[in-house]
Each structure stands twice: as C-alpha cells, then as structure tokens.
Amino acid sequence: MRPLTDEESKQFFEKLSKYIGDNVDVLIDRPDGKYCFRLSKDRVYYVRESVMKKAAHFGRPCLLSFGTCFGKFTHSSKFRLYITALDYLAPYAKYKVWLRPGAEQQFLYGNHVLKSGLGRITENTQQYQGVVVYSMKELPLGFGVAAKATADCRRADPMTIVVFHQADIGEFVRNEEELT
Amino acid sequence: MGRKINYDEKPKKGLGRKAKKQPPPEIPKKLQEQRRGVKKRRADDRKAKAKKIKLKPINDSESEIDENSIASELNMGLDSDDNSIEDKADDLFEGNSLSESEGPDGNGADRNENGKHKSSDSDDDDDDENEQDDDASDNDSDDLNDLSLEEASKRLVKKKAKIERQAEEEMQTNILDSERMHLPTAKELRRDQPDLIASRQRVKDILLVLGNFKARCEPGRKRKEYIRLLSKDLCFLYDYNEFLVQKLFDLFGTNVVEFLEANEQSRPLTIRTNTLKTRRRDLAKSLIERGINLEPIGAWSKVGLVITDTQSIPIGATPEYLAGHYMLQGASSFLPVMALAPQESEQILDMCAAPGGKTTYIGQLMKNTGCLVANDVNRDRARAVIGNIHRMGITNCVVSSVDGRKLPGMIKGFDRVLLDAPCSGTGVISKHSEVKSSKDGKDVQRCGHIQRELLLAAIDSCTASSVTGGYIVYSTCSVLVEENECVVQYALKRRNVKIVPTGLPFGNEGFTHFREYHFHPSMKLAMRYYPHLHNMDGFFVCKLKKFSNTIPKPPKEDLPETAEGDNEGEGEEEEMDTENKEAPKKKKKKSNKGMKKST
C-alpha cells in the first residue's frame, strides 16, 4: 500500500474530473473524517485514514481490499474507472443522462444507449463528455461518454448511439472477477 | 270561508312499518310431531324433573305422586310469567302427558297446535331452557320428546359424538392389545425387498413403540434393536448415512422424522434491506411494482422481508439488487449479527466473512463509522465479500484473506468479534443435500478441532478493556452438540470469558448436559434454531464476554508432558476445574489470580 505518485495522481484526477469536474476537493475534505487515496496492486482505493491504518497491519499478499476501490491502472499506465466508484461520483456529477424504462435493461447488459432509449439529458453536454447514467426513478445505473452533444441528440434519428457505455451496475453480477 | 281542511284521521294504507319483521318460521310436518311436549318455562322444567324422579321408583305410593303432580301443576300455574290463556292450557296438557307416560298420546292434534303457538312465542324462554337442559344429562332419551327442537338436535349430536369417541377408544385399546408391532429379525429383513411404503410404516410403528417402550415392546427384543432398525429405515428413506441419523436421533428422539422432513423442503427465500441506501417500506414498494410478492419477515426484524412469490423474476438481478438496496440472506443469518449488536465507531472483526451477508449487515448497523475487518481464509470466496461490500456501499471495511488462527498475531484490540465458524453443515441440509451422506465422525471431529482453535483466536483478537464491547459471538449452521456447546465449553475453560444472554427474541435454549457431556450451567443462554420448529436453517448462536485479557493456564488434561506444569500449576488447575463447574462468580477470582501472576 502506498500513496499515489505525482504522475499517477495527475492521471487519476484528470479522469475523475471528466465526470465530476472541479468537485474533486469535496472528496478529499469531508466532514466525517480525513480521506485519502492509496494504491495497492495497481488499484486505487479511497479510504478514511483510520481504516487505512488498520489495513496497514496486513501484508501485501493478505490484503485484498480496503475502503472503496475507484479503479485500476492498466498495463499501459492508463487509469480505468470502475463501477464501484459510482456512489461517490453520482452525487457530484455535472452532466447526467436519464434512461427510459425499456432501455434500462439494455444498458445493464453492457450495451450502448440509443436515441430511442434516451429520456433526458442535461443541457450543454459536449461531445465525448463523461456522463453519469440514471434511470427515470433517479437510480444511478453507471457511467458513460456522450457520443453527441445535446443539440445533436435532439436531431438524431432513433437508432443512433447517444451514450457510449463505460460501466454499469450490472457488472456486479456479470463481471465480478474483474472488479475484485 | 277558508279552504276546507280535513282533520279526520287518514286510514292507514299499506302494511305498516312493523310488517317488515320476518314471519315466524314454518315448521315442516315431519318435525312437528316431535314437538309434542314443548317446554316453555322453568316451572315446566322443574315439574318435569320432579315427575321423572318420582316415576323411577315404581314401588313408591301412588298417592305421593299424585299429590306432587297436582302441587307442581299448581306451582306452575302460580309461577307462570306468561299470562296468556293458551299457555296455561298448554301446561295443563303437558302435565297430563307427563303423568301418563312418554309415549304418543291422544292429544296429538292439540299438541301440534301448541307447538305452533309455542314457536311463535319469544325465543328467550328457549334460551333459558337450553342452559337447564345441559345440566339434566341423565335420561337423555326420555327428555327428547319433551324438549324443543333445538335441544333435541343438540342432544342427538352430543350423543353421536360420545358414541364415536367410545368407539374410537375401544378401537385403540383393541389395536394396542391385539396388534403389537412385530420387530422383524435380521433374517426376515434380508428376505424382504427394500420397500418405501413398508419402511415408512415401520418407522411410524417403531416410533410408536419407543414412545412407551415398556408397554408396547415385543417381549424379548431390546431397545437397541428397535433403534438400529429405525436408523436403517431412516437412512433408506431419506438418503442419510448411519452416523448422521444416529446423531440426529440422539438429538431429537422421536421428533427426528419432523426434522428430516423439514430438511427435504427448502426454507423460504428472505432478503435484507440495506438501510444505508433505502428503507424497507420503499424497497417493498418498488419490488411489488416489479411484480414480486413479499411481506415483512416478522416482528423480530425491521430489515427482513420474505419473498412469497417471485413470478419468475430473478431476485438476484433486479436493478434494486444491483444498486445495493438489498441482499439475499437466510433468516437465520440475521441472528448472529443481531446478537453481536455492533455499535457505531467501534472496531469489529468478522473472522469467516464470505460471502459477506453478515459483514454487510454489520457495516450497515455501524453506518460506515469505525472500522470493520472482514477475513476469510479462502481467497476466492473473500473476493465475493469485496463485491458485496462495494455493491452495498460499505466504506469502512478492510478485506483480508488470512488463516483466522493467525489473525491475533497480525492485529488485535477489536471491540467485537463475530465468528461464524466453518462446520459440517447439518443445519443447512435443505440447501446442501450432499451433507446427508458425506459427513461422518472424522469430519465432525476435524471441524470441531478447527472451530476450537478459531474461537480461541477470536477471543484473543478481542480486548476486554474495550469501553463499549468485549463481546465475541460464536455461531455455526450446525445442530450437532460436538460443534456447538462442546466448542464453547472448551473456550470457557481456556480463556477468561463468560456466556451472556444473546438478546435474541426467540429460539431454543442451549443444552447444559447432553448424553455423556456436561456443560457449564450458563450454556442455556446460548440459542439453538431448528428448521422444523422455526422455519429457518438450523443454527447455533452463543455470545461471550471477555472480562480479562490474560490467558489462564490450560487445564490439567492439556499438559501431559511438561514437568513444570505438573508441580506448579497443579494446585491452581484443580481449583480451576472445580471453579469451572460452579457459578461464574468464582471466575472473577480466577482472573484476579491471573492478573497477579502477570505482575
């Protein structure tokens, strides 16, 4: 377990800011304790300091997880955000997309979102902007990347992709080995 | 002149208000004949009783009878509440009929008329008579003709029931006397083909015999033979191995069949609401919208829901499940965490955490404060814990994969520890039917050994000087005494812990003695759960409190080799043994001794 190096931090926060913009400070300064990011086996964990101290008792082979895993650094040193970070990103998301009930299941299976499944989208969403995907009942379903800007979405025909799928909560069941 | 107003009373048109009353019942002719001696009033009853008593002894002087009959008639006349002429006439007629006999009399026509009138009179009289008729239980047949229709039918029903009861008892005694169960010998058994129906019948018979062995056994056959044949039949019927059936028979006695039957069916599907993300009410609402039928699990849990009908919707794949609003968990798994009662801002350890149901329950009760360490020796299963804690939104958890026995060496000082020990699984046979045939004495012994070591490690990880805690909860999904009470007894002898009430609202008490074992009297504070009694998986929960961090010297039987132990510790060990058998009060003395030694 070690803190993130500068390069790693830069990459990580860049990725985060794609979804939550400048609200990154909110994650670090929290009222219920001092939180920090730690790296263990190429995975980034977000954890309260007291919990981190307990985790430090365990050696590398024994320690599997602590706090919340946000994502993983790949072999080519790129950062990939996992669905497990959703709880922290959803409240601070700047750009959101709401799905129609019919399209929910499709997204949860890992498919991209088509125009026909799009319920609402925040204004001024640019193309390739990171978005958080919700259901109509305000239940966060995952992340994506906007394939088209808001204006283009309105004009698009029903079969075009409007949101690229990045992560969804269906992965807890489909893809558990990858996450853990 | 003014308008002429007619002040005459208008003639009443129509039937009138009271005409809506129900007309009196029409009694069919068949029954009317029986209403010959319709009793109306108490006076009649008295009179009838007096007449009957007088009628019995035939040898008495007739003059007395006549006097009495006249007197009662007069009394009746005086006491009559109803002053209608018709009733008086009826009484006189009644009196006549009684004095003659109980047979049919010449006043049949009059009787019928009276019967009709009587029926139209108030029903209150009948009610009074009903109470009195119940008292006069003798001379049933005699009364039939005098009583009203209702009483007559009631008497008939009672009679019938009595006859039936007597016949039943007769039959039973006949069965017992003539049909004693014949216990087949080994030869006979070998000759017969294995037959399901015959086996089932034999099981019932043997259980009946064992219920009252002295009275029902075949002369010359021993109890052992019956029990051996019973276990053979049960093994055959339910696919168990002999070892397990014998153990279960020792535990449950003649109720063993109920336990075995309960294991053939699955327990109801239950889920636990994640209070960090939703409320039970809201969750129930959204699941019902999806078409799932559910209801609260019971008064003992505020977060449990039992699914009564899924409508082929996968409960483990709904968006609510994926969002972490609930967890699929057996009802019995709620109990150890309820007994543990984790508080906020505590340090809690879960030693055998996989797949993470109890861990996430602890996390939600702690509301993500403090620190929760979840450990499981099996790395792959520990990864299931990671998935679940992320899904449910538990943020204060550390997941490790270490042999539980080595945990105290790495990390200590927990406020509470939960040990849901690996066991033979005799309580969850309904889920894992391979347990029926695969577990034998060696497995149980091996499990018991690991459980003992794990429990000692759990106790060592906990700290007695915790402000809010110092509790260890030991639980297994097994019903065998060797894995439950024996293990706790082992820990009681070797560490400074005592059993405290679990605080669980229902359940059977733990055993304080069982066959050759004798346990500490406080063992009855532990809780046992059975599938056939509580409709949840078989479980054992025991809550221990650590009152001192020092480790006492092991009892005598543990030190066969060391010479120093023999001399030094002998005196104290003996004391310790005797103390163990007595009240927990004395344990405090032992702890003081321990403390003194360390300083």
Side-chain angles (χ1 to χ4, degrees):
Chain A
M1 171 187 348
R2 60 173 175 82
L4 296 169
T5 62
D6 288 336
E7 279 174 28
E8 286 164 350
S9 303
K10 193 167 135 226
Q11 270 219 303
F12 175 63
F13 288 121
E14 251 182 43
K15 193 69 185 241
L16 277 187
S17 60
K18 274 193 185 168
Y19 293 93
I20 58 175
D22 303 323
N23 294 334
V24 181
D25 322 325
V26 184
L27 285 180
I28 299 191
D29 309 322
R30 281 177 61 156
D32 59 333
K34 224 170 148 221
Y35 281 74
C36 56
F37 293 98
R38 287 289 177 271
L39 193 78
S40 172
K41 294 184 194 169
D42 288 333
R43 286 172 192 254
V44 177
Y45 295 97
Y46 176 65
V47 67
R48 206 183 314 133
E49 292 221 340
S50 50
V51 177
M52 185 193 65
K53 284 182 188 159
K54 286 276 175 191
H57 287 270
F58 295 98
R60 222 164 152 253
C62 313
L63 185 63
L64 296 183
S65 163
F66 50 102
T68 312
C69 173
F70 262 45
K72 184 176 161 176
F73 280 103
T74 59
H75 273 297
S76 49
S77 308
K78 298 225 166 56
F79 182 72
R80 178 156 172 222
L81 200 60
Y82 279 163
I83 189 63
T84 45
L86 184 64
D87 282 341
Y88 291 103
L89 301 194
Y92 310 116
K94 288 220 158 144
Y95 299 100
K96 302 180 189 174
V97 166
W98 287 265
L99 296 188
R100 295 228 180 98
E104 264 176 42
Q105 279 299 322
Q106 286 297 312
F107 184 69
L108 293 181
Y109 278 116
N111 299 322
H112 301 301
V113 180
L114 304 179
K115 170 78 197 309
S116 51
L118 189 69
R120 272 163 63 190
I121 184 166
T122 28
E123 284 293 327
N124 304 324
T125 317
Q126 291 159 16
Q127 202 177 24
Y128 308 130
Q129 170 73 46
V131 293
V132 176
V133 178
Y134 285 81
S135 77
M136 287 318 258
K137 291 183 203 162
E138 295 292 333
L139 192 71
L141 297 175
F143 319 124
V145 171
K148 295 184 184 303
T150 316
D152 297 335
C153 282
R154 283 203 202 101
R155 288 187 297 228
D157 61 274
M159 283 293 117
T160 52
I161 297 174
V162 288
V163 176
F164 293 123
H165 166 283
Q166 296 268 305
D168 68 274
I169 53 180
E171 282 175 21
F172 283 118
V173 166
R174 281 190 342 254
N175 210 3
E176 221 181 308
E177 298 84 43
E178 177 78 29
L179 296 174
T180 53
Chain B
M1 300 305 168
R3 213 184 320 148
K4 232 184 175 182
I5 299 171
N6 191 359
Y7 288 109
D8 297 339
E9 255 189 29
K10 289 195 195 155
K12 305 231 169 187
K13 284 188 254 174
L15 294 170
R17 246 178 42 191
K18 302 249 171 165
K20 284 186 191 164
K21 203 162 78 173
Q22 199 183 28
E26 283 187 16
I27 298 167
K29 277 191 184 168
K30 245 197 300 184
L31 300 172
Q32 271 176 18
E33 280 164 11
Q34 287 178 20
R35 288 177 58 93
R36 240 171 278 137
V38 173
K39 266 218 221 155
K40 261 187 55 186
R41 298 186 295 247
R42 277 178 184 237
D44 295 358
D45 202 4
R46 244 184 288 139
K47 195 183 163 212
K49 263 192 191 167
K51 283 278 155 81
K52 271 170 240 159
I53 293 164
K54 292 297 186 284
L55 278 172
K56 266 185 185 169
I58 303 165
N59 295 331
D60 282 355
S61 56
E62 290 173 10
S63 56
E64 286 182 15
I65 294 169
D66 289 334
E67 273 176 32
N68 281 326
S69 67
I70 294 163
S72 43
E73 275 185 77
L74 287 171
N75 282 338
M76 221 169 48
L78 286 169
D79 290 348
S80 63
D81 300 325
D82 205 337
N83 288 326
S84 65
I85 299 164
E86 299 151 339
D87 291 342
K88 279 201 180 157
D90 295 339
D91 296 337
L92 289 173
F93 280 121
E94 247 186 71
N96 286 338
S97 72
L98 281 169
S99 61
E100 288 165 2
S101 70
E102 302 308 318
D105 54 330
N107 301 333
D110 291 335
R111 207 81 7 233
N112 285 343
E113 280 178 342
N114 294 339
K116 276 194 185 156
H117 283 303
K118 296 252 157 76
S119 61
S120 63
D121 284 337
S122 63
D123 291 328
D124 301 330
D125 295 342
D126 281 341
D127 287 339
D128 287 338
E129 284 155 5
N130 286 346
E131 289 160 35
Q132 291 148 36
D133 289 342
D134 290 341
D135 299 336
S137 52
D138 300 329
N139 307 324
D140 288 352
S141 53
D142 298 340
D143 283 349
L144 270 177
N145 295 327
D146 298 341
L147 301 177
S148 69
L149 186 64
E150 291 169 24
E151 282 102 44
S153 61
K154 279 188 188 166
R155 282 285 171 87
L156 279 171
V157 165
K158 262 198 217 166
K159 241 176 124 186
K160 204 177 167 190
K162 195 174 173 187
I163 292 169
E164 269 181 35
R165 232 183 306 130
Q166 285 171 343
E168 178 93 19
E169 280 168 31
E170 234 184 74
M171 195 174 72
Q172 292 291 352
T173 49
N174 282 347
I175 287 172
L176 287 173
D177 290 336
S178 60
E179 295 184 22
R180 264 175 204 251
M181 191 222 160
H182 164 67
L183 192 71
T185 59
K187 250 191 192 174
E188 287 168 6
L189 284 172
R190 257 180 275 138
R191 185 186 60 206
D192 296 328
Q193 288 287 338
D195 180 11
L196 270 176
I197 301 168
S199 286
R200 241 181 257 278
Q201 187 55 40
R202 213 161 39 215
V203 164
K204 275 194 208 157
D205 293 335
I206 294 180
L207 286 176
L208 192 66
V209 168
L210 290 173
N212 188 358
F213 194 70
K214 282 199 179 144
R216 300 186 189 143
C217 74
E218 215 177 336
R221 309 300 290 274
K222 290 185 219 160
R223 198 191 184 95
K224 243 197 286 181
E225 297 177 29
Y226 281 93
I227 294 178
R228 204 181 312 145
L229 185 55
L230 176 68
S231 32
K232 272 213 183 105
D233 278 327
L234 288 174
C235 294
F236 173 63
L237 283 173
Y238 295 102
D239 291 328
Y240 282 74
N241 60 2
E242 289 243 9
F243 168 77
L244 202 50
V245 164
Q246 191 61 40
K247 288 280 169 193
L248 295 175
F249 183 74
D250 293 341
L251 260 176
F252 298 111
T254 42
N255 291 329
V256 68
V257 177
E258 288 168 25
F259 179 78
L260 296 175
E261 281 291 334
N263 282 340
E264 296 298 309
Q265 301 151 0
S266 56
R267 305 275 78 77
L269 184 64
T270 51
I271 61 175
R272 189 196 81 235
T273 323
N274 183 10
T275 49
L276 293 174
K277 294 199 172 184
T278 184
R279 280 188 302 212
R280 184 165 73 163
R281 216 178 313 145
D282 302 331
L283 174 67
K285 201 167 137 203
S286 40
L287 285 179
I288 287 169
E289 271 172 30
R290 291 201 184 272
I292 299 166
N293 289 337
L294 40 74
E295 52 187 43
I297 203 173
W300 54 275
S301 170
K302 291 199 190 129
V303 293
L305 285 164
V306 59
I307 311 275
T308 48
D309 182 20
T310 57
Q311 305 275 8
S312 72
I313 294 165
I315 302 280
T318 59
E320 283 80 21
Y321 176 81
L322 297 171
H325 286 195
Y326 64 90
M327 171 97 192
L328 290 171
Q329 188 170 31
S332 50
S333 301
F334 288 47
L335 300 167
V337 181
M338 285 166 66
L340 186 71
Q343 309 295 318
E344 295 183 30
S345 311
E346 277 189 339
Q347 324 285 322
I348 298 187
L349 169 66
D350 185 356
M351 281 179 79
C352 303
K358 298 186 185 76
T359 313
T360 46
Y361 194 7
I362 295 174
Q364 90 186 40
L365 287 174
M366 289 167 84
K367 298 194 184 136
N368 278 333
T369 56
C371 178
L372 170 61
V373 177
N375 174 64
D376 198 272
V377 67
N378 186 334
R379 185 165 280 252
D380 295 321
R381 298 198 74 212
R383 286 165 66 180
V385 182
I386 302 177
N388 278 323
I389 59 174
H390 279 107
R391 188 174 57 80
M392 306 284 271
I394 310 286
T395 56
N396 62 345
C397 189
V398 177
V399 181
S400 64
S401 175
V402 183
D403 187 344
R405 297 172 276 195
K406 299 189 185 135
L407 260 179
M410 305 175 90
I411 186 169
K412 265 192 195 180
F414 288 99
D415 294 310
R416 290 174 204 248
V417 179
L418 172 64
L419 172 59
D420 186 35
C423 62
S424 58
T426 49
V428 286
I429 293 175
S430 52
K431 279 193 223 161
H432 305 290
S433 50
E434 63 270 13
V435 171
K436 280 192 219 174
S437 42
S438 61
K439 299 293 173 184
D440 68 335
K442 276 196 202 147
D443 289 319
V444 175
Q445 224 177 0
R446 210 179 308 143
C447 283
H449 178 76
I450 298 178
Q451 286 158 352
R452 283 168 170 77
E453 295 192 328
L454 282 173
L455 184 52
L456 291 188
I459 295 170
D460 293 336
S461 311
C462 187
T463 170
S465 50
S466 152
V467 176
T468 53
Y471 293 104
I472 302 111
V473 169
Y474 173 73
S475 70
T476 58
C477 53
S478 171
V479 294
L480 298 178
V481 174
E482 286 85 355
E483 293 179 308
N484 296 336
E485 282 91 348
C486 287
V487 174
V488 176
Q489 180 70 15
Y490 178 90
L492 285 178
K493 278 193 186 168
R494 280 166 180 74
R495 292 289 186 276
N496 289 321
V497 287
K498 64 176 183 186
I499 305 182
V500 293
T502 55
L504 294 171
F506 64 99
N508 286 15
E509 287 178 347
F511 297 125
T512 44
H513 57 268
F514 181 78
R515 292 172 72 86
E516 70 265 28
Y517 302 115
H518 285 272
F519 306 121
H520 195 276
S522 62
M523 196 67 73
K524 66 174 175 16
L525 295 172
M527 289 296 209
R528 284 176 151 267
Y529 299 91
Y530 299 125
H532 62 291
L533 290 178
H534 305 106
N535 200 15
M536 52 174 65
D537 296 320
F539 230 74
F540 173 81
V541 183
C542 182
K543 189 170 181 180
L544 302 165
K545 177 150 171 60
K546 190 171 183 181
F547 51 83
S548 162
N549 281 330
T550 50
I551 296 175
K553 264 208 165 166
K556 209 173 179 183
E557 57 263 27
D558 265 17
L559 300 172
E561 299 99 30
T562 52
E564 323 129 46
D566 284 337
N567 292 329
E568 272 182 12
E570 228 175 34
E572 285 137 69
E573 279 152 26
E574 278 173 7
E575 274 185 58
M576 260 191 284
D577 280 333
T578 51
E579 278 177 18
N580 278 332
K581 286 171 195 158
E582 285 163 359
K585 236 195 207 175
K586 297 225 169 177
K587 276 202 189 253
K588 291 198 174 145
K589 253 199 210 168
K590 188 173 45 150
S591 76
N592 284 337
K593 276 205 169 179
M595 306 243 288
K596 276 189 191 164
K597 267 209 251 158
S598 63
T599 54

